[in-house]
Amino acid sequence: MDTLISVITDTVLITLVLALAAFGLAIIYGLIGVINMGHGAMLTLGAYFTWSLTRHGMPFVASVLLSASAVGTVGLVFEHLIIRHFYNRPFDTLLLTWAFFLVATEVIKIVFGTDFRNVARPIEGAIDIGIYRIPAYRTIVGGLSILLILSTAFILYKTSLGIKIRAMVQNREMAGLLGLNVAFMYKCVFGFGSFIAGLAGGLIAPMYSVDPYMGNTFLVRSFFVVIVGGIGQVLAGTLFGSFTIGGLETVLALFSDQVIAQIAVFFIAVVLLRFRPQGVFTGR
Amino acid sequence: MTENKKSRSITRRQALGAMAGTAAVLGTPALIRPAKAADPIKIGVLSPVTGAWTVYGQAHSRGFELAVEEINAAGGVLGRPIEMILADYQTDQRLVVEQANRLLRQEKVDLLAGTFSSADRNAAGPVVKAADKILLYPTWYEGQIKDYYPGVCNPNIFMFGPEPTQQVWPFMEYMVSNHGKKFYMIGSDYAWPRVTNLFTKEKLQELGGEVVAEVYIPFNTPQYESVLRDIREKKPDIIFHSLTGSDTVNFAQQFHAAGMSKDFTYWTVDDEEVVTSGLGPEVSAGHFVSFDYFMTISHPNNKAFLERYKAKYGPDALMNTVGVGMYNAAHMGALAIAKAGKVETAAIREGLKELTFDKAPQGPVKMRGLDNQIVVPSYLMKVRAGWTSVNDMFEEVQSVPSVEPKDARCDLPL
């Protein structure tokens, strides 16, 4: 029983944290079809900005928000200068965003150095539930992840902006012909996705090692999350994908060691893709 | 047809001429060289400047650079300066091979130093064996077992970092009698943690302890909940930790966040200054760490060394066991060449054997001739609660001024 409770809480928390890390990628990939290889670098940038700001005495929450805005701005500039000219050529955007990753990583190393950095956890301690202690900060981040996904869902499905975005996703040309400013909306989506990546980077900084390559750990997993969940299935897809890639590993590790659990997870992901190549949540 | 014949005969003549020319060119440097005394001795340094071990790359290359500067300021070796040629292998074992070959063939270096992890060194092993050049290896590592030849047990590789019978064994009695007999081993999934644990288990058995679990984690694993649960269930006394890179930080962060720091003793053979800085004072407080070198050791050599190091790289620059390994490697390499009187592999090898270096930052060290393994001091430290920088990070628990390791499990002598 103890084990069961701890496995469930672990699984939920892992799923939510991974969903947060993958969400920016899911938005950009799912809504405007750009395979953002720079996603990892955006997470890293968010973490480093947060580290830098908190070190200069700014409160944690303000630091994270400012960092996310900064990364969002970087994304907007990158989109305006380069990406917007390549929306019709997805493979070129893949190379361009990869180049963004390389350049950003080197700049991070030059500006912030190559040492490990640490961001102090804003909330110390663990929530004691009798048999088991749940890390307090991680729980809050998990909560924020739900909040973020729900509010994005609200925007997408309950506002006129959301209707426009969905129209654009369904048929870009038609949406343009009907008078939507497609170029502007693409820019907003790219900027928002970058903002979310920066936000995630800042929020996970106190839980993980902050080093120039920290985003890489999440890049591959994030891609699996998006592809398993289904491209364009920003909400349910992201959550399901995160559960498959992150949560399942914890469950499997009950019965085997870590190495086998990790291999099994990716194996299951591949099998899922074999039978649902469009992603689990995408109708055929 | 005739033209063809003609051209062929000319070609042949040209070939002869070219050969003579080549011979002359090849012969000349041999004649000139002794006269040109200031020709530098070239040492190729393989450093992980980018990629996963970036965080260690800086201290790694700086340690060597500082030593080279000191050697050259003192007049060089055999009247010749040392030239350090840095090659970044991007933490990629294929690039270790590529860069080592480039240094040897294109840069024509006289010997090599560096590589960081055991996997990197094992990649470089066949290269230095084939080219018959010396490699000076700086990192704490798993010790030499014949199975991993030519990465170890290789007469051309000299080990300047401690192995488990130096880094772990001297403190096991203290740890077992003060903190308990039940060990939970967690490490990254490659040669160094596995063999280190093998040696540790051997000694643990002698002391009547037991290993409750031995867990290996793939590189770049962000989540450790299942391991933490396993630890809680198995109730060990000591977490014996050999994860590396960002994984060690991720694990320790989550271990602490789960409120487990106060319930278990944490002994790491990986978290030197660089990693412990990444953990921060909250998470790392109370961890036991053992190495041959720490920035906070009180040996007079260390004070002088750190003064020079900080004068060059700034007051906040990090140093660690690997950087010091590289520093000692450069100095002892130079001493060996001076002793040999010439820059030639067999002579340098002989020169290095049984060589002592009194100025080593951790205290005097000696290169054992039998198995090319450095004999170093060893320190068990505890991370000070509320440390503010690397200068007050560790406090000494126990130390041994010089640890003679167990003989390497190779065909000895090397």
Side-chain angles (χ1 to χ4, degrees):
Chain A
M1 190 59 198
D2 292 7
T3 314
L4 186 69
I5 291 172
S6 73
V7 169
I8 291 170
T9 40
D10 285 349
T11 309
V12 169
L13 287 182
I14 290 173
T15 302
L16 291 176
V17 172
L18 187 57
L20 177 70
F23 198 42
L25 185 77
I27 288 170
I28 291 178
Y29 194 7
L31 298 183
I32 59 179
V34 171
I35 304 167
N36 184 14
M37 296 298 283
H39 179 70
M42 288 176 172
L43 285 172
T44 313
L45 263 183
Y48 269 96
F49 284 152
T50 305
W51 169 75
S52 184
L53 291 169
T54 49
R55 213 172 61 119
H56 286 95
M58 189 179 276
F60 181 76
V61 175
S63 304
V64 170
L65 287 175
L66 199 61
S67 304
S69 311
V71 177
T73 312
V74 170
L76 279 179
V77 171
F78 178 55
E79 198 272 354
H80 186 75
L81 293 179
I82 297 169
I83 292 297
R84 70 184 169 120
H85 304 293
F86 293 90
Y87 279 127
N88 295 324
R89 292 149 71 179
F91 279 104
D92 292 2
T93 58
L94 188 142
L95 289 179
L96 288 166
T97 51
W98 181 243
F100 174 84
F101 158 76
L102 294 174
V103 172
T105 306
E106 290 309 307
V107 170
I108 286 169
K109 284 203 272 185
I110 292 165
V111 176
F112 297 108
T114 56
D115 299 329
F116 281 117
R117 304 296 182 191
N118 76 83
V119 178
R121 216 168 276 117
I123 299 153
E124 270 298 336
I127 303 164
D128 207 326
I129 54 167
I131 45 160
Y132 176 61
R133 284 182 296 233
I134 309 170
Y137 179 69
R138 184 172 283 252
T139 312
I140 290 171
V141 172
L144 286 175
S145 175
I146 297 178
L147 204 66
L148 199 65
I149 291 173
L150 286 181
S151 40
T152 308
F154 181 80
I155 293 172
L156 274 182
Y157 294 103
K158 296 286 174 198
T159 65
S160 61
L161 178 67
I163 294 173
K164 287 178 193 163
I165 291 174
R166 283 184 291 141
M168 185 186 77
V169 172
Q170 275 184 6
N171 192 329
R172 188 184 162 193
E173 269 175 24
M174 188 58 86
L177 287 173
L178 290 173
L180 285 182
N181 188 346
V182 174
F184 176 72
M185 299 219 322
Y186 268 46
K187 185 163 291 164
C188 289
V189 170
F190 197 92
F192 183 65
S194 310
F195 173 87
I196 296 294
L199 187 72
L203 286 173
I204 64 176
M207 298 190 283
Y208 295 103
S209 79
V210 178
D211 63 73
Y213 294 90
M214 71 178 286
N216 282 20
T217 311
F218 291 98
L219 182 66
V220 177
R221 284 179 166 77
S222 299
F223 266 108
F224 265 98
V225 165
V226 173
I227 291 167
V228 168
I231 297 159
Q233 299 303 306
V234 177
L235 310 165
T238 304
L239 281 176
F240 178 79
S242 301
F243 168 72
T244 312
I245 300 303
L248 207 52
E249 190 180 306
T250 303
V251 180
L252 289 172
L254 269 183
F255 311 106
S256 69
D257 68 44
Q258 278 277 325
V259 180
I260 295 179
Q262 287 200 18
I263 295 169
V265 162
F266 288 107
F267 180 74
I268 290 170
V270 170
V271 170
L272 278 176
L273 287 178
R274 164 65 186 78
F275 293 104
R276 302 285 309 201
Q278 258 69 49
V280 174
F281 278 82
T282 311
R284 279 193 227 211
Chain B
M1 222 36 209
T2 14
E3 236 173 304
N4 237 348
K5 243 182 214 166
K6 199 173 163 191
S7 77
R8 198 188 297 152
S9 73
I10 286 169
T11 312
R12 202 174 288 154
R13 199 175 297 157
Q14 279 176 333
L16 276 173
M19 257 191 232
T22 316
V25 172
L26 281 176
T28 332
L31 293 173
I32 294 176
R33 210 167 252 165
K36 247 179 96 183
D39 235 13
I41 296 170
K42 289 181 165 185
I43 305 183
V45 173
L46 293 158
S47 224
V49 181
T50 57
W53 304 136
T54 304
V55 290
Y56 302 102
Q58 202 163 51
H60 187 272
S61 53
R62 281 176 172 179
F64 205 86
E65 191 177 48
L66 179 67
V68 167
E69 198 182 273
E70 288 171 11
I71 295 161
N72 289 340
V77 186
L78 307 175
R80 297 165 61 185
I82 289 184
E83 184 187 345
M84 160 179 170
I85 300 167
L86 183 67
D88 173 21
Y89 63 87
Q90 300 170 22
T91 322
D92 181 340
Q93 278 89 44
R94 278 170 307 158
L95 285 180
V96 170
V97 176
E98 203 177 293
Q99 291 291 341
N101 277 321
R102 182 181 72 81
L103 288 169
L104 291 168
R105 289 175 194 160
Q106 287 174 27
E107 303 286 350
K108 306 242 181 290
V109 298
D110 297 296
L111 67 157
L112 290 170
T115 70
F116 173 71
S117 78
S118 293
D120 306 340
R121 182 204 59 237
N122 289 348
V127 180
V128 295
K129 180 179 172 253
D132 195 25
K133 293 285 182 199
I134 299 286
L135 169 70
L136 310 172
Y137 178 66
T139 316
W140 75 98
Y141 75 113
E142 68 277 14
Q144 307 190 56
I145 292 184
K146 213 175 146 189
D147 303 354
Y148 293 91
Y149 176 84
V152 292
C153 299
N154 183 334
N156 284 350
I157 303 184
F158 285 81
M159 311 298 187
F160 289 83
E163 46 89 283
T165 66
Q166 296 171 298
Q167 190 189 358
V168 182
W169 283 23
F171 311 115
M172 286 197 66
E173 218 174 302
Y174 171 86
M175 291 304 283
V176 167
S177 51
N178 287 286
H179 296 280
K181 291 181 174 210
K182 286 197 269 179
F183 276 49
Y184 190 104
M185 296 179 157
I186 175 167
S188 292
D189 193 15
Y190 75 111
W192 171 66
R194 284 180 181 272
V195 183
T196 299
N197 285 342
L198 188 80
F199 278 106
T200 307
K201 276 189 285 186
E202 229 177 80
K203 183 77 175 173
L204 191 61
Q205 236 159 23
E206 246 174 66
L207 296 169
E210 68 169 309
V211 174
V212 295
E214 193 177 343
V215 175
Y216 295 100
I217 306 288
F219 285 120
N220 291 327
T221 296
Q223 58 203 35
Y224 292 89
E225 281 79 356
S226 51
V227 180
L228 297 182
R229 187 179 331 113
D230 195 42
I231 293 175
R232 274 189 227 104
E233 275 165 16
K234 300 217 162 107
K235 298 190 171 49
D237 301 311
I238 294 176
I239 314 291
F240 186 78
H241 164 279
S242 53
L243 289 165
T244 62
S246 57
D247 294 330
T248 171
V249 180
N250 291 343
F251 173 73
Q253 294 269 22
Q254 291 169 35
F255 181 82
H256 182 74
M260 293 165 71
S261 293
K262 53 184 178 293
D263 302 337
F264 303 95
T265 302
Y266 196 104
W267 182 10
T268 165
V269 287
D270 179 86
D271 301 357
E272 32 60 90
E273 283 79 356
V274 173
V275 173
T276 304
S277 302
L279 295 177
E282 280 287 339
V283 173
S284 62
H287 286 187
F288 286 90
V289 195
S290 52
F291 275 115
D292 61 323
Y293 174 83
F294 290 90
M295 281 180 86
T296 40
I297 60 176
S298 54
H299 199 281
N301 284 0
N302 186 38
K303 288 210 174 76
F305 165 75
L306 285 179
E307 251 167 50
R308 294 193 298 275
Y309 183 71
K310 288 179 178 177
K312 186 166 165 65
Y313 299 105
D316 299 325
L318 293 187
M319 197 12 87
N320 62 1
T321 166
V322 181
V324 164
M326 287 297 274
Y327 178 83
N328 293 344
H331 272 295
M332 291 178 78
L335 289 173
I337 292 171
K339 190 168 125 189
K342 55 184 170 182
V343 189
E344 192 257 307
T345 299
I348 301 173
R349 189 190 299 128
E350 278 319 302
L352 276 167
K353 285 184 186 285
E354 304 300 336
L355 185 70
T356 53
F357 179 45
D358 294 331
K359 295 276 166 55
Q362 63 268 66
V365 298
K366 190 188 102 186
M367 180 54 70
R368 192 158 74 172
L370 178 73
D371 52 6
N372 300 352
Q373 171 64 39
I374 195 101
V375 179
V376 280
S378 195
Y379 296 86
L380 177 68
M381 301 290 219
K382 196 171 180 178
V383 178
R384 199 187 296 270
W387 58 265
T388 53
S389 77
V390 283
N391 301 313
D392 64 351
M393 192 177 268
F394 299 104
E395 51 193 347
E396 190 176 310
V397 178
Q398 267 200 334
S399 68
V400 190
S402 178
V403 188
E404 190 78 33
K406 285 264 163 195
D407 291 356
R409 296 173 190 190
C410 313
D411 297 327
L412 299 173
L414 290 178

